[in-house]
């Protein structure tokens, strides 16, 4: 069980780890300080799953960063997910962009970003363990993906499988509406990168909305 008390089990892959309802995505360009320090603060606040993006970094630098983040997550039973098909060989948990090819050797956990019903159906056919649906609310981090879905648009896309995470401009106050729309959790990047002290507010909102 994750630290937020609402872990869900990803069931399609071998040795599939448990996913908490809060996924934290990295973006060092938005960080309030060094990325590792920001993630450390988020973990101290209760975050137990981090999606390492930073796909512009050379593989060696990204591997080193992954090792630093694992050192933060492993002692608390947390999970590091590598974003992108490139450089994911041998990783236990991978998050794919909508256009990324599915790994030939299936990791224990695979998620995919989705912006339409067609992409969600693809993720389901592939047996993805979860999907991130975006953008739910207006955010500068998701240009080019059309207008924000809002809770109603999110509800129109959510299907039973794979479990959906709402992404894009989600604030703690938005959590009840996202879960009411059918999302199993929320994925947050900018707000937590800028202020990792928000993690307890997200976890509290998730626990209350899921109760």
């Amino acid at each position: 069980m994750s630290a937020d008390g609402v872990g869900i089990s990803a069931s399609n892959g071998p040795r599939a780890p448990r996913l908490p309802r809060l996924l934290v995505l990295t973006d060092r360009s938005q960080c309030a300080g060094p990325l590792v320090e920001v993630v450390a603060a988020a973990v101290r606040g209760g975050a137990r799953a981090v999606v390492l993006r930073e796909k512009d970094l050379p593989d060696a630098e990204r591997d080193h960063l992954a090792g630093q983040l694992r050192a933060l997550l492993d002692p608390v039973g947390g999970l590091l997910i590598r974003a992108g098909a490139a450089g994911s060989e041998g990783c236990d948990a991978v998050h794919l962009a909508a256009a990324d090819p599915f790994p030939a050797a299936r990791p224990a956990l695979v998620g995919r970003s989705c912006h339409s019903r067609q992409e969600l159906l693809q993720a389901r056919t592939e047996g993805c363990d979860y999907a991130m649906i975006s953008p739910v609310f207006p955010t500068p981090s998701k240009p080019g993906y059309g207008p924000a879905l809002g809770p109603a648009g999110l509800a129109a896309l959510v299907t039973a499988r794979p479990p959906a995470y709402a992404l894009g401009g989600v604030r703690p106050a938005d959590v009840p509406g996202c879960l009411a729309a059918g999302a199993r959790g929320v994925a947050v990047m900018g707000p937590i990168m800028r202020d990792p002290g928000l993690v307890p507010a997200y976890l509290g909102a998730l626990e209350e909305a899921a109760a």
Side-chain angles (χ1 to χ4, degrees), residues 22-45:
L22 174 65
L23 303 183
V24 176
L25 283 70
T26 72
D27 182 356
R28 67 190 190 283
S29 72
Q30 299 191 60
C31 279
L35 177 59
V36 175
E37 293 182 12
V38 169
V39 173
V43 171
R44 287 195 300 271

Side-chain angles (χ1 to χ4, degrees), residues 115-117 120 133-136 147-159 177 181:
H115 312 94
S116 67
R117 181 166 296 280
L120 277 164
I133 299 177
S134 68
V136 179
L149 295 165
L154 176 63
L157 290 180
V158 169
T159 56

Side-chain angles (χ1 to χ4, degrees), residues 5 31-32 34 50 56 87 92 97 101-102 114 124 150 168 178 183-185 209:
C31 279
V50 175
D56 61 308
D92 291 334
F102 198 86
C114 298
R124 185 163 116 186
C178 291
R184 295 297 300 272

